[in-house]
Amino acid sequence: MKKNERAGHRAKKSLGQNFLQDDNICGKIVDAIFPEADDHIIEIGPGQGALTRYLAETPCRLTVIEKDDGLADRLEAEYPGLEILRRDALEFPWATLDGPCKIIGNLPYNIGSKLIWDIVSSVRGLQRAVFMVQHEVAMRLTAKSGNKTYGGLTAWVRNFAETKYLFKVPPTVFRPRPKVDSAVVAFVPLSANRRPEDPERLSLLIKTLFQQRRKQVSTILRKQWTPEVAAWFEENAVDTRIRPENLTPEQFRSLSQRL
């Protein structure tokens, strides 16, 4: 399908559609997933097929998840035999994915953080992921503790995967143009022994602390303060007066096991 034919689809603001137009950037994103012959690659929100075109040229098995029926119809016509799941990625049962896979996508700004939160923690067979997100989100995903951009999303994701900021993408390469920069981030899952034993408990702690991120940790946890919790701070030489952003992802995981 030629570019002028793709342009016939009107972007839907309700779905956060901004279509990537730059071939060089598309190639770089696909290269970052390291496609290999035995891979099962899942693309989220292929849209007009900017990344799909490059992925289809690799020897991997390709599945795409597209909510927009009009775009799914175009992809089906252009790539006969392509496995297309016509559904909302936010409602996809990520935990049910069977076997190893890699996941890639230009994620809509309004759902990117939620999708990443779910995917890194739910997809047991995840080998690698590469997502383009709003630049601000990319900075949060790759921030270090103690940095103002470090937040609940950072602490959660980094308990399941290592993150790497790859490169910035300007608004000029999209149609329609977003008002902010984007960036591409790579995710490499942690080994099983480095992942949280009780994700629900970790999630609760992260949300509790970052809902009051300006307060001291001991103040926020006043109602849960037990001798075991106090001992954790002493054993780990952590000042009880610190704020949530100063706890590392590993400390969040460890503390959640004491609460």
Side-chain angles (χ1 to χ4, degrees):
M1 187 180 293
K2 297 178 181 178
K3 284 187 178 181
N4 61 345
E5 291 175 322
R6 291 192 185 105
H9 182 90
R10 194 178 193 85
K12 297 178 181 177
K13 192 173 182 180
S14 62
L15 297 181
Q17 292 177 341
N18 297 95
F19 301 122
L20 186 58
Q21 306 288 309
D22 189 285
D23 289 341
N24 179 56
I25 290 176
C26 291
K28 287 175 65 176
I29 295 172
V30 170
D31 286 345
I33 200 70
F34 303 150
E36 297 179 356
D38 295 330
D39 287 345
H40 177 202
I41 297 182
I42 300 170
E43 183 186 2
I44 298 173
Q48 296 176 337
L51 299 181
T52 313
R53 181 158 56 98
Y54 288 87
L55 290 166
E57 293 174 354
T58 69
C60 67
R61 171 191 166 197
L62 178 61
T63 301
V64 300
I65 300 175
E66 178 54 65
K67 181 179 180 180
D68 189 316
D69 280 331
L71 290 172
D73 288 342
R74 286 170 176 246
L75 290 169
E76 192 171 52
E78 187 171 3
Y79 303 101
L82 176 65
E83 185 178 358
I84 302 175
L85 303 180
R86 297 172 182 248
R87 59 189 308 167
D88 188 341
L90 279 177
E91 298 175 358
F92 188 82
W94 295 106
T96 66
L97 279 178
D98 187 24
C101 65
K102 295 179 180 179
I103 305 179
I104 192 170
N106 169 21
L107 304 183
Y109 289 163
N110 57 342
I111 64 171
S113 296
K114 176 68 169 63
L115 269 176
I116 292 170
W117 180 289
D118 291 344
I119 288 170
V120 297
S121 60
S122 301
V123 182
R124 288 295 176 182
L126 185 65
Q127 297 171 303
R128 183 176 178 85
V130 174
F131 296 127
M132 180 153 59
V133 294
Q134 187 173 344
H135 186 261
E136 178 185 334
V137 173
M139 296 302 292
R140 288 209 302 271
L141 287 165
T142 55
K144 295 186 184 234
S145 58
N147 190 302
K148 287 188 177 180
T149 57
Y150 180 92
L153 179 65
T154 327
W156 174 260
V157 169
R158 297 272 279 286
N159 267 293
F160 295 92
E162 294 178 356
T163 59
K164 183 178 181 181
Y165 182 104
L166 298 182
F167 54 89
K168 183 185 285 189
V169 181
T172 52
V173 300
F174 294 93
R175 294 293 181 276
R177 292 186 185 182
K179 295 180 180 179
V180 296
D181 289 325
S182 301
V184 178
V185 179
F187 302 78
V188 179
L190 299 178
S191 57
N193 65 326
R194 295 176 61 194
R195 296 165 69 95
E197 295 178 8
D198 190 335
E200 289 187 12
R201 187 178 295 182
L202 173 64
S203 174
L204 180 60
L205 175 63
I206 288 173
K207 290 175 180 177
T208 298
L209 291 183
F210 278 103
Q211 282 171 354
Q212 305 179 67
R213 63 178 299 154
R214 294 180 180 273
K215 294 184 178 180
Q216 297 178 2
V217 171
S218 57
T219 301
I220 304 171
L221 297 178
R222 185 172 57 248
K223 292 182 179 179
Q224 294 113 302
W225 202 262
T226 63
E228 290 77 16
V229 173
W232 181 90
F233 282 87
E234 185 174 345
E235 292 164 11
N236 291 276
V238 176
D239 191 334
T240 60
R241 297 169 295 180
I242 66 170
R243 291 182 169 82
E245 66 193 39
N246 296 112
L247 288 171
T248 67
E250 295 78 14
Q251 288 172 333
F252 267 101
R253 182 172 71 249
S254 177
L255 178 56
S256 71
Q257 294 168 356
R258 289 290 182 94
L259 288 173

